[in-house]
Coordinates of all heavy atoms in Angstrom, one line a residue:
L129 N 9.0 13.1 12.6 CA 8.4 11.9 12.2 C 9.4 11.0 11.4 O 10.2 11.5 10.6 CB 7.2 12.1 11.4 CG 5.9 12.6 12.1 CD1 4.9 13.0 11.1 CD2 5.4 11.5 13.0
D130 N 9.3 9.7 11.6 CA 10.1 8.8 10.8 C 9.2 8.1 9.9 O 8.5 7.2 10.2 CB 10.8 7.7 11.8 CG 11.6 6.7 11.0 OD1 12.0 7.0 9.9 OD2 11.9 5.6 11.6
V131 N 9.1 8.6 8.6 CA 8.1 8.2 7.7 C 8.7 7.1 6.7 O 9.8 7.3 6.2 CB 7.6 9.4 6.8 CG1 6.6 8.9 5.8 CG2 7.0 10.4 7.7
K132 N 8.0 6.1 6.5 CA 8.3 5.0 5.6 C 7.2 4.8 4.6 O 6.0 4.7 5.1 CB 8.7 3.7 6.3 CG 10.0 3.8 7.1 CD 10.4 2.5 7.7 CE 11.7 2.5 8.4 NZ 11.8 3.5 9.5
V133 N 7.4 4.6 3.3 CA 6.4 4.3 2.4 C 6.7 3.0 1.7 O 7.8 2.8 1.2 CB 6.3 5.4 1.3 CG1 5.3 5.1 0.2 CG2 6.1 6.8 1.9
R134 N 5.7 2.1 1.8 CA 5.8 0.8 1.2 C 5.0 0.7 0.0 O 3.8 1.2 0.0 CB 5.4 -0.3 2.2 CG 6.2 -0.4 3.5 CD 7.5 -1.1 3.4 NE 7.3 -2.5 2.9 CZ 7.0 -3.5 3.7 NH1 6.8 -3.3 5.0 NH2 6.8 -4.7 3.2
T135 N 5.5 0.2 -1.1 CA 4.7 0.1 -2.4 C 4.4 -1.4 -2.7 O 5.3 -2.2 -2.6 CB 5.4 0.7 -3.6 OG1 6.7 0.1 -3.8 CG2 5.6 2.2 -3.3
S136 N 3.2 -1.7 -3.2 CA 2.9 -3.0 -3.6 C 1.5 -3.0 -4.3 O 0.9 -1.9 -4.5 CB 2.8 -4.0 -2.4 OG 2.7 -5.3 -2.8
N137 N 1.0 -4.1 -4.6 CA -0.4 -4.2 -5.2 C -1.4 -4.2 -4.1 O -1.1 -4.3 -2.9 CB -0.6 -5.4 -6.1 CG -0.3 -6.7 -5.3 OD1 -0.8 -6.9 -4.2 ND2 0.5 -7.6 -5.9
N138 N -2.7 -4.0 -4.4 CA -3.8 -3.9 -3.4 C -3.8 -5.0 -2.5 O -4.0 -4.8 -1.2 CB -5.1 -3.7 -4.1 CG -5.4 -2.3 -4.5 OD1 -4.5 -1.4 -4.5 ND2 -6.7 -2.0 -4.7
L139 N -3.7 -6.3 -3.0 CA -3.8 -7.4 -2.1 C -2.7 -7.4 -1.0 O -3.0 -7.7 0.1 CB -3.8 -8.7 -3.0 CG -3.9 -10.0 -2.2 CD1 -5.2 -10.1 -1.5 CD2 -3.7 -11.2 -3.1
M140 N -1.5 -7.2 -1.5 CA -0.4 -7.2 -0.5 C -0.5 -6.0 0.4 O -0.2 -6.1 1.6 CB 0.9 -7.1 -1.3 CG 1.3 -8.4 -2.0 SD 1.5 -9.8 -0.9 CE 2.8 -9.2 0.1
L141 N -1.0 -4.9 0.0 CA -1.2 -3.7 0.9 C -2.2 -4.0 2.0 O -2.0 -3.6 3.1 CB -1.6 -2.5 0.0 CG -0.6 -1.9 -0.9 CD1 -1.2 -0.8 -1.8 CD2 0.6 -1.3 -0.1
E142 N -3.3 -4.7 1.6 CA -4.3 -5.1 2.6 C -3.7 -6.0 3.6 O -4.0 -5.9 4.8 CB -5.5 -5.7 1.9 CG -6.3 -4.6 1.1 CD -7.4 -5.3 0.3 OE1 -7.8 -6.4 0.6 OE2 -8.0 -4.6 -0.6
E143 N -2.8 -6.9 3.2 CA -2.2 -7.9 4.1 C -1.3 -7.1 5.0 O -1.2 -7.3 6.3 CB -1.4 -8.9 3.3 CG -2.3 -10.0 2.7 CD -1.4 -11.2 2.3 OE1 -0.3 -11.3 2.6 OE2 -2.0 -12.0 1.5
M144 N -0.5 -6.1 4.5 CA 0.4 -5.3 5.3 C -0.4 -4.6 6.4 O 0.0 -4.5 7.5 CB 1.1 -4.3 4.4 CG 2.2 -4.9 3.5 SD 2.9 -3.5 2.5 CE 3.8 -4.5 1.3
L145 N -1.6 -4.0 6.0 CA -2.4 -3.3 7.0 C -2.9 -4.3 8.1 O -2.9 -3.9 9.3 CB -3.6 -2.7 6.3 CG -4.5 -1.8 7.1 CD1 -3.7 -0.6 7.7 CD2 -5.6 -1.2 6.3
F146 N -3.3 -5.5 7.7 CA -3.8 -6.4 8.6 C -2.8 -6.8 9.6 O -3.0 -6.9 10.8 CB -4.4 -7.7 7.9 CG -4.7 -8.8 8.8 CD1 -5.9 -8.8 9.5 CD2 -3.8 -9.9 9.0 CE1 -6.2 -9.9 10.4 CE2 -4.1 -11.0 9.8 CZ -5.3 -10.9 10.5
Y147 N -1.6 -7.1 9.2 CA -0.5 -7.5 10.0 C 0.2 -6.4 10.8 O 1.1 -6.6 11.6 CB 0.5 -8.4 9.3 CG 0.0 -9.7 8.8 CD1 -0.2 -10.0 7.5 CD2 -0.3 -10.7 9.8 CE1 -0.7 -11.3 7.1 CE2 -0.7 -11.9 9.4 CZ -1.0 -12.2 8.1 OH -1.4 -13.5 7.7
G148 N -0.2 -5.2 10.5 CA 0.4 -4.0 11.2 C 1.7 -3.6 10.7 O 2.5 -2.9 11.3
E149 N 2.1 -4.0 9.4 CA 3.3 -3.6 8.8 C 3.2 -2.1 8.4 O 4.2 -1.5 8.2 CB 3.6 -4.5 7.6 CG 3.9 -5.9 7.9 CD 4.2 -6.7 6.7 OE1 5.2 -6.5 6.0 OE2 3.4 -7.6 6.4
V150 N 2.0 -1.6 8.1 CA 1.8 -0.2 7.8 C 0.6 0.3 8.6 O -0.2 -0.5 9.1 CB 1.5 0.0 6.3 CG1 2.7 -0.4 5.4 CG2 0.3 -0.9 5.8
D151 N 0.6 1.6 8.8 CA -0.5 2.2 9.5 C -1.7 2.5 8.7 O -2.8 2.6 9.2 CB 0.0 3.6 10.1 CG 1.2 3.3 11.1 OD1 1.1 2.5 12.0 OD2 2.2 4.0 10.9
G152 N -1.5 2.7 7.4 CA -2.6 3.0 6.5 C -2.2 2.8 5.1 O -1.0 2.8 4.8
I153 N -3.2 2.6 4.2 CA -2.9 2.4 2.8 C -3.8 3.2 1.9 O -4.9 3.5 2.2 CB -3.1 0.9 2.4 CG1 -4.5 0.4 2.8 CG2 -2.1 0.0 3.2 CD1 -4.8 -1.0 2.4

Side-chain angles (χ1 to χ4, degrees):
L129 286 168
D130 180 19
V131 180
K132 291 182 174 63
V133 179
R134 301 278 303 275
T135 60
S136 191
N137 57 49
N138 273 20
L139 182 60
M140 289 300 298
L141 289 172
E142 289 174 16
E143 284 193 12
M144 289 180 193
L145 185 61
F146 171 78
Y147 288 112
E149 296 178 66
V150 293
D151 299 310
I153 56 175

